[in-house]
Amino acid sequence: MKPLLFFSVSLLFIPLLSCQEKTPDIQTSTPSETRKIYVERSSLFDNYSDQKLQVADFVELYFNLMYDSTLEDRNALWDSKILTHQ
Amino acid sequence: MKGNFEKGFFFQYAPQILGIRAMSDNRYEVKLEVQQSGITFKIMNLIVAFDGLNRPYFIDQFGENLTEFDAVRKETLTFLYSKKVAKNDSLEQKMVHFNQKLATLFNISPKSTSVIVLKNLKDYCDVIGYDYMTFLTHDVQTGGIALPEEQILFSANNSPYYPHELVHIYTADHDPHYWFDEGCATYLGGSVEYPLEHHLKKVAAQMDSLDFSELPKDQKLDDETSLKYSLGGLFCKLAMEEFGGRVSLLILLNSGKTEENFHAALKAVFGIEQKDYDAFVKEKLRKYKG
């Protein structure tokens, strides 16, 4: 069995599932690679703790890493050990 | 999280964190929405924890859920059953036989693959931590997907037998245009539980009103049948059975990904150019009409 580090990250790349097995890509114009993806935050954040803000920052960081980093970098941010136990 | 979205999509339509819920064990559940022009595509739950140095990391909730699955090993296939699905020995065996058949066709050893067996698309979403995806609104609530690099396929079909997706595990070793990739999977493994012939009959019934000269332009006939799967399958079937056999099928499966590659492969195998597509396809569909 392959290590789960690889496996868990695969979840992030699961395309939309449908009765036709695959759906078309959704694309926009070619972006500048240096631009940053911003993750909006709902009004609930007005009262959030620093820890929750840190969680949101981490999600935003990962969104940007998804496109501009190595698989190893992305894997390092996941806790993955289930399949390796089988 | 990434799904099929290009990076530019997220520049234009920023994802939004709807809320973050504190859980036990210093974990946090992040509810994240991806939408376009006010239409929601997906709402997912991400679990974040902190290590001893207060550094955040994601919890692999799918992996955690998988520990609750029942595993059945048969030869090179491992079936991992959701609690909502009853084990089925005969369909497992049928999948094993199909795996062997593919190995023979592609002249390699049978692939080792984990088959995640799920009740339906809702079960799939529950297991991977999604609250919503657009396909949950479709009439048909079954489906599947292959992850060849990870040697995993999801069978959200209430069955361990999902031949279409298993074909993708093998075609991924090649470099097919997506028409030939889906076509080969439909030719060898059917689509939405129907064999290729079922879909070809539906296309043939409507062919007088269809124009095939713009291939690989796709068109859906209904929720089950599209030109990409049906005619892609027809090309693979013709290559295998009438235009040179396995060698010709492999030409299609090694076509390359671009539209130019698609045209070049059809020229190489069938000797046709774009101006010929409509007449060629209609001639080959005639046997499926009426």
Side-chain angles (χ1 to χ4, degrees):
Chain A
M1 191 66 72
K2 303 186 74 168
L4 185 63
L5 281 177
F6 201 60
F7 177 71
S8 65
V9 169
S10 72
L11 271 182
L12 302 179
F13 297 90
I14 292 175
L16 299 176
L17 191 73
S18 81
C19 60
Q20 281 285 353
E21 285 88 27
K22 294 249 179 88
T23 54
D25 288 0
I26 298 166
Q27 299 182 5
T28 59
S29 57
T30 304
S32 161
E33 287 300 316
T34 58
R35 287 180 64 185
K36 184 175 185 291
I37 297 172
Y38 290 97
V39 177
E40 293 180 354
R41 302 171 187 197
S42 72
S43 58
L44 293 174
F45 276 77
D46 294 345
N47 299 312
Y48 271 178
S49 64
D50 288 345
Q51 192 85 334
K52 287 187 177 180
L53 296 178
Q54 190 179 350
V55 169
D57 290 343
F58 174 63
V59 170
E60 185 170 85
L61 167 71
Y62 196 86
F63 250 99
N64 286 278
L65 286 177
M66 278 196 316
Y67 292 94
D68 301 322
S69 70
T70 65
L71 186 62
E72 288 70 24
D73 289 341
R74 298 193 296 276
N75 278 343
L77 299 178
W78 282 82
D79 168 48
S80 304
K81 56 184 181 295
I82 306 300
L83 278 181
T84 54
H85 289 177
Q86 292 183 355
Chain B
M1 190 186 285
K2 186 177 182 181
N4 267 13
F5 298 108
E6 298 287 335
K7 187 176 182 182
F9 175 88
F10 291 121
F11 291 151
Q12 197 167 346
Y13 303 103
Q16 179 178 202
I17 296 176
L18 301 174
I20 299 176
R21 182 174 72 87
M23 306 166 71
S24 59
D25 303 327
N26 202 28
R27 289 183 174 192
Y28 292 85
E29 182 186 65
V30 182
K31 201 169 286 290
L32 184 80
E33 180 182 36
V34 176
Q35 62 167 241
Q36 179 183 33
S37 303
I39 304 297
T40 300
F41 278 107
K42 61 173 76 173
I43 298 174
M44 67 185 82
N45 297 308
L46 300 166
I47 309 296
V48 175
F50 287 85
D51 67 12
L53 298 175
N54 204 38
R55 295 174 302 198
Y57 61 95
F58 288 115
I59 296 293
D60 172 27
Q61 53 187 319
F62 174 63
E64 289 193 347
N65 288 333
L66 213 55
T67 61
E68 304 296 321
F69 280 39
D70 289 328
V72 177
R73 175 89 177 179
K74 275 201 169 64
E75 301 195 12
T76 61
L77 298 184
T78 301
F79 300 92
L80 293 159
Y81 278 91
S82 157
K83 294 295 184 191
K84 295 179 179 175
V85 183
K87 293 177 190 169
N88 189 316
D89 180 72
S90 64
L91 289 177
E92 290 166 9
Q93 206 59 51
K94 191 174 179 182
M95 189 71 155
V96 168
H97 288 152
F98 189 67
N99 194 38
Q100 291 167 338
K101 178 181 170 185
L102 291 175
T104 300
L105 175 65
F106 288 94
N107 198 26
I108 58 175
S109 300
K111 293 271 192 180
S112 296
T113 302
S114 294
V115 182
I116 314 298
V117 189
L118 302 160
K119 177 82 173 175
N120 50 31
L121 298 181
K122 177 67 165 59
D123 198 16
Y124 169 79
C125 285
D126 289 344
V127 165
I128 65 172
Y130 281 27
D131 280 354
Y132 174 78
M133 291 191 82
T134 50
F135 56 62
L136 290 175
T137 66
H138 292 179
D139 292 340
V140 177
Q141 281 297 295
T142 56
I145 192 166
L147 303 176
E149 286 190 357
E150 292 78 14
Q151 295 180 301
I152 292 169
L153 72 82
F154 290 88
S155 176
N157 206 24
N158 199 34
S159 166
Y161 183 65
Y162 209 125
H164 180 104
E165 297 305 332
L166 192 56
V167 175
H168 286 308
I169 299 289
Y170 284 82
T171 57
D173 288 347
H174 301 268
D175 185 27
H177 185 273
Y178 69 97
W179 265 60
F180 303 134
D181 194 9
E182 293 301 347
C184 185
T186 305
Y187 167 47
L188 297 174
S191 179
V192 286
E193 301 182 48
Y194 294 107
L196 172 63
E197 286 69 21
H198 167 85
H199 299 286
L200 291 178
K201 285 177 182 174
K202 288 169 69 174
V203 178
Q206 299 184 38
M207 72 178 186
D208 292 340
S209 62
L210 295 171
D211 179 2
F212 303 122
S213 61
E214 298 296 323
L215 304 184
K217 183 182 177 184
D218 193 21
Q219 183 176 334
K220 288 186 75 169
L221 273 58
D222 54 35
D223 278 352
E224 293 177 349
T225 303
S226 70
L227 296 187
K228 176 175 65 178
Y229 286 69
S230 306
L231 298 187
L234 177 66
F235 289 132
C236 290
K237 179 180 173 68
L238 290 170
M240 189 70 182
E241 298 175 10
E242 297 181 30
F243 284 81
R246 182 177 175 278
V247 171
S248 292
L249 179 63
L250 290 177
I251 290 174
L252 297 183
L253 292 180
N254 291 307
S255 61
K257 307 289 189 197
T258 70
E259 191 166 326
E260 290 71 27
N261 295 148
F262 173 83
H263 296 306
L266 291 183
K267 173 79 172 172
V269 173
F270 305 112
I272 55 174
E273 299 178 351
Q274 189 153 13
K275 62 180 173 56
D276 309 315
Y277 290 172
D278 190 59
F280 179 82
V281 170
K282 284 177 177 171
E283 179 198 335
K284 298 301 181 185
L285 281 175
R286 197 160 293 127
K287 65 186 283 191
Y288 300 97
K289 192 175 182 182

